[in-house]
């Protein structure tokens, strides 16, 4: 039991340090399950009944990779939280990537940046989850036929309020 409390406190501190959010973890759904060969995820519910997934990896992880991981876990993302102190991180990094490829272009539209946002480094990642699609959360398993197996059953759908 002490180990679990320590792990939750370490996760809360990582969230504060990396994303500037003070989240109170009420219930971990899955804890440090593999989501690729080098990354692991923790899905947790906060005291405000919000569902988040925290993904960290030992190698380079891009926003496109995070989107794919979230979808394969059976989750629907609502918001990708940018790093602490950089609210426009994804757009700034995408513009930088775009300018590397097209150095002469001055006017960059949102459509131009759509692909380059997927190339933005995002490790660790924090994603606010809108719903668990089928009521099942999956984890990576290289031995399984589809490379994913059931990690937990959990029903969740966020209802937006004004």
């Amino acid at each position: 039991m002490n180990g679990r409390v320590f792990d939750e406190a370490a996760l809360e501190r990582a969230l504060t340090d990396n994303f500037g959010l003070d989240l109170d973890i009420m219930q971990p759904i899955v804890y440090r399950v593999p989501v690729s060969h080098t990354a692991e995820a923790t899905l947790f519910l906060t005291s405000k009944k919000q569902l988040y997934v925290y993904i960290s990896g030992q190698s380079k992880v891009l926003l496109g990779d995070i989107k794919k991981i979230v979808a394969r876990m059976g989750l629907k993302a609502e918001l990708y939280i940018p790093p602490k102190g950089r609210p426009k991180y994804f757009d700034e990094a995408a513009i930088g990537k775009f300018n590397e490829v097209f150095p002469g272009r001055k006017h960059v539209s949102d459509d131009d940046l759509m692909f380059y946002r997927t190339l933005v480094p995002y490790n660790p990642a924090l994603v606010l989850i809108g719903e668990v699609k089928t009521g099942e959360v999956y984890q990576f398993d290289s031995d399984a036929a589809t490379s994913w197996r059931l990690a937990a059953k959990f029903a969740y759908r966020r209802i937006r309020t004004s």
Side-chain angles (χ1 to χ4, degrees):
M1 187 68 172
N2 263 349
R4 177 63 68 126
V5 171
F6 178 75
D7 291 340
E8 287 180 14
L11 179 59
E12 288 176 2
R13 181 176 172 107
L15 296 174
T16 303
D17 292 347
N18 294 322
F19 301 100
L21 297 176
D22 188 23
L23 300 175
D24 183 30
I25 298 174
M26 184 179 78
Q27 173 188 0
I29 310 306
V30 293
Y31 187 75
R32 296 182 70 171
V33 296
V35 290
S36 75
H37 288 288
T38 61
E40 55 190 23
T42 299
L43 182 69
F44 60 92
L45 197 61
T46 66
S47 57
K48 293 182 179 180
K49 306 293 186 210
Q50 293 177 317
L51 189 65
Y52 286 91
V53 64
Y54 176 78
I55 302 170
S56 62
Q58 298 169 346
S59 62
K60 184 176 178 182
V61 181
L62 306 176
L63 180 60
D65 300 331
I66 297 298
K67 287 181 178 185
K68 191 179 293 185
I69 287 169
V70 168
R72 289 190 177 159
M73 285 182 74
L75 309 173
K76 185 175 179 186
E78 186 168 320
L79 178 66
Y80 296 91
I81 311 294
K84 180 180 180 180
R86 299 182 67 186
K88 298 192 183 288
Y89 170 73
F90 299 117
D91 290 333
E92 292 168 357
I95 289 171
K97 297 273 184 193
F98 183 83
N99 287 334
E100 288 175 13
V101 177
F102 303 105
R105 295 235 353 230
K106 298 293 181 208
H107 301 288
V108 181
S109 70
D110 203 36
D111 291 337
D112 294 333
L113 296 178
M114 190 179 312
F115 169 72
Y116 293 94
R117 276 191 197 97
T118 64
L119 303 177
V120 173
Y122 194 34
N123 187 18
L126 181 64
V127 184
L128 176 63
I129 301 301
E131 72 176 281
V132 179
K133 293 178 188 173
T134 61
E136 298 175 336
V137 179
Y138 294 92
Q139 73 181 43
F140 179 75
D141 183 4
S142 60
D143 293 335
T146 61
S147 295
W148 291 85
R149 67 176 170 90
L150 183 66
K153 290 186 180 263
F154 184 74
Y156 178 85
R157 177 173 287 151
R158 185 164 184 233
I159 300 171
R160 290 181 179 238
T161 57
S162 56

